[in-house]
Amino acid sequence: MRIHKQSVPFESRTQIDFIDITQSIRDIVRDSSIRQGHVTIFVPHTTMGIVINHNEPLLLQDFMRILYKVAPVDDHYAHDLFEIRKERPSDGRSNGHSHCKALLIGSSETILVERGDLILSPLQSVFAIEFDGARKRDVIVQVMGI
Amino acid sequence: MRIHKQSVPFESRTQIDFIDITQSIRDIVRDSSIRQGHVTIFVPHTTMGIVINHNEPLLLQDFMRILYKVAPVDDHYAHDLFEIRKERPSDGRSNGHSHCKALLIGSSETILVERGDLILSPLQSVFAIEFDGARKRDVIVQVMGI
Amino acid sequence: MRIHKQSVPFESRTQIDFIDITQSIRDIVRDSSIRQGHVTIFVPHTTMGIVINHNEPLLLQDFMRILYKVAPVDDHYAHDLFEIRKERPSDGRSNGHSHCKALLIGSSETILVERGDLILSPLQSVFAIEFDGARKRDVIVQVMGI
C-alpha cells in the first residue's frame, strides 16, 4: 500500500470563491503512480469547504444565494462581537457567516481512484470553496492505494 | 491490503427519492472478504447525495420539508435560465434546486468495517438520495482493508 | 498497512452539545503508532454529526442559531407524530429536529495523519455534535496507514 500527499495552494479573489481544483487533483493522482484506491481532500482552514458538483457559472450563483439565505453576511453573529470574545486576539475579520457556511459544507471529501484516475462523471468538478476571501489558502490531497 | 469496488445501480421513482442501500453495501462488504477497514460510498452524479440516518417514513418527509425550506423547487434558479447559460446544451431539466440540495448533503460518506460487516447502530440506514428523479442512477462502493 | 480502531465515549449535558474530541483523536493516533495515513471519525447515532471548525464559544452559539433557523425545535415534525408512526415503539423523544440537523452535518469526517499526528491548523477542532442530549454517546475513530 502506498500513500502520497501534496498541497494545492491557491489565491481566492472574492469574498466567496469557488476554486475548481479538479485538474490539480488529477495531476496529483497521476504523480502518485497509485492505480487503485481513494483520494481524500482536506481543508486545513475553518472558513472553507469542499464540494463536488457541476462547474456551471450560473449554478455557482445559486449556491451562493442558498448559503446566503441560511447564513447571510448582513446578520449579527456572536463570533463577530470582538468586545466580548474571551480568547486570544482575533484577526479582526467579521467572518461569523463564513464559519457558518463552512459548517454546512464540511471539511473533507473522498473520491475513488481507478486505473490511475479519478472516478468522476463528466459533469463533476471538485471545488475548494473559500467563504472568507480574498486570501492565500491551500487544501491537502492524499492518495492512498496500490 | 485489499481493495474491492462495485456499483449499486437503482432506479429512482419520484422527484426526490431516498433509496435505502444498506443491504447492498453489506453484501458488497461480504463479497469483498475484507474483515477490517472501511467502505467509501461515492455518488457519481451532481444532483444526488449520501446520508446515513433513520429509515422512518415520516422522518423522510421531514428531511424533504427541511431541504425544501432551504432550496424550494418553486423558486428561481439562475442555473435554470437556459437562454443565458453559456456552456454546451443542457439536458433541459430545471434542476437548480436539486443541485442546491446536493450541495448541502455531500457526495461521499465513509463507514467502518469490522469482522466483515458494517459498524452501524440498529437505527442507521445508508441512503442514496436522488434530488432530480425519476432516473436510472448508481452509487460506487469501495471497500479497503485487510 | 495497519488499522487501529477505538471508541471515544462521552456524556452530552445539554440538548445541543458540541463535544471537542480533538485531544482524544490525537491520543488514539499516537497509541496506534501509525505515522502516515488518515483517521476516519464515524458517528454511530442518528441524531449526531461530526464537524471540524473553530472552538470559540460565541461561534458555537452562531452554529446553533443557524441550525435552529433551518430546523427549529419549536416546529412540527412528522417524525414526532407517535400516533401514526408505523414502526416498532419509539423511545418517545420528540427529536425530529435533531435528525434534521444531523442530516445537514453528516456522519463522518476524514483527517489526514503525518508523522504520527493529525494535520490540523491551530484553529481547527474536531467536534462530535449531539442534537438530542443529554445522553451517553460515543464516536468511533479508525486510523489506517503505515
Side-chain angles (χ1 to χ4, degrees), chain C residues 17-145:
Chain C
D17 203 355
F18 284 68
I19 316 287
D20 189 328
I21 56 171
T22 318
Q23 190 55 50
S24 303
I25 299 172
R26 280 193 200 283
D27 293 346
I28 291 171
V29 171
R30 210 152 294 150
D31 290 353
S32 76
S33 301
I34 290 170
R35 302 285 299 163
Q36 196 189 4
H38 55 50
V39 191
T40 303
I41 300 127
F42 184 80
V43 169
H45 305 287
T46 53
T47 56
M48 285 189 57
I50 293 288
V51 151
I52 301 163
N53 213 297
H54 186 180
N55 190 352
E56 194 277 294
L58 297 175
L59 181 62
L60 302 187
Q61 290 181 22
D62 290 322
F63 287 164
M64 285 187 252
R65 186 171 60 88
I66 290 299
L67 292 169
Y68 172 84
K69 265 173 66 175
V70 182
V73 61
D74 48 350
D75 193 358
H76 297 287
Y77 294 86
H79 182 61
D80 299 336
L81 298 169
F82 300 114
E83 296 89 342
I84 63 170
R85 266 168 68 174
K86 288 198 172 118
E87 30 130 51
R88 61 200 184 124
S90 125
D91 64 1
R93 295 179 78 121
S94 295
N95 59 9
H97 76 100
S98 317
H99 289 279
C100 289
K101 282 163 180 141
L103 172 83
L104 297 171
I105 297 300
S107 306
S108 70
E109 277 287 355
T110 302
I111 305 173
L112 306 181
V113 169
E114 194 150 271
R115 293 195 203 93
D117 198 9
L118 303 176
I119 305 182
L120 285 179
S121 70
L123 292 185
Q124 283 184 307
S125 287
V126 186
F127 292 100
I129 318 180
E130 163 78 77
F131 294 116
D132 185 32
R135 302 209 205 202
K136 290 196 179 181
R137 294 292 213 181
D138 63 331
V139 299
I140 313 178
V141 177
Q142 185 197 66
V143 197
M144 186 184 273

Side-chain angles (χ1 to χ4, degrees), chain B residues 76-90:
Chain B
H76 298 286
Y77 294 87
H79 182 61
D80 299 336
L81 298 169
F82 301 114
E83 297 88 341
I84 63 171
R85 266 168 70 173
K86 290 200 170 118
E87 30 131 50
R88 65 206 181 116
S90 124

Side-chain angles (χ1 to χ4, degrees), chain B residues 8-21:
Chain B
V8 179
F10 62 87
E11 200 166 338
S12 61
R13 294 175 185 283
T14 50
Q15 188 181 45
I16 298 185
D17 203 353
F18 284 69
I19 316 286
D20 189 327
I21 56 171

Side-chain angles (χ1 to χ4, degrees), chain B residues 1 18 36-38 51-59 61-63 65-67 69-70 104-105 108-114 119-125 129 144-146, chain C residues 1 3-5 38 40 42-47 69-72 75-81 84-88 96 99-100 102-104 106-108 110 140-142 144:
Chain B
M1 204 242 344
F18 284 69
Q36 197 190 3
H38 56 48
V51 152
I52 301 164
N53 214 297
H54 186 178
N55 190 351
E56 194 278 294
L58 297 175
L59 182 62
Q61 290 181 21
D62 291 322
F63 288 163
R65 187 174 57 89
I66 290 300
L67 292 169
K69 266 175 67 176
V70 183
L104 296 171
I105 297 300
S108 70
E109 276 288 355
T110 303
I111 304 173
L112 305 182
V113 170
E114 194 149 271
I119 303 181
L120 284 179
S121 70
L123 292 185
Q124 284 184 307
S125 287
I129 318 179
M144 185 185 275
I146 49 182
Chain C
M1 205 242 341
I3 297 171
H4 177 88
K5 184 189 70 100
H38 55 50
T40 303
F42 184 80
V43 169
H45 305 287
T46 53
T47 56
K69 265 173 66 175
V70 182
D75 193 358
H76 297 287
Y77 294 86
H79 182 61
D80 299 336
L81 298 169
I84 63 170
R85 266 168 68 174
K86 288 198 172 118
E87 30 130 51
R88 61 200 184 124
H99 289 279
C100 289
L103 172 83
L104 297 171
S107 306
S108 70
T110 302
I140 313 178
V141 177
Q142 185 197 66
M144 186 184 273

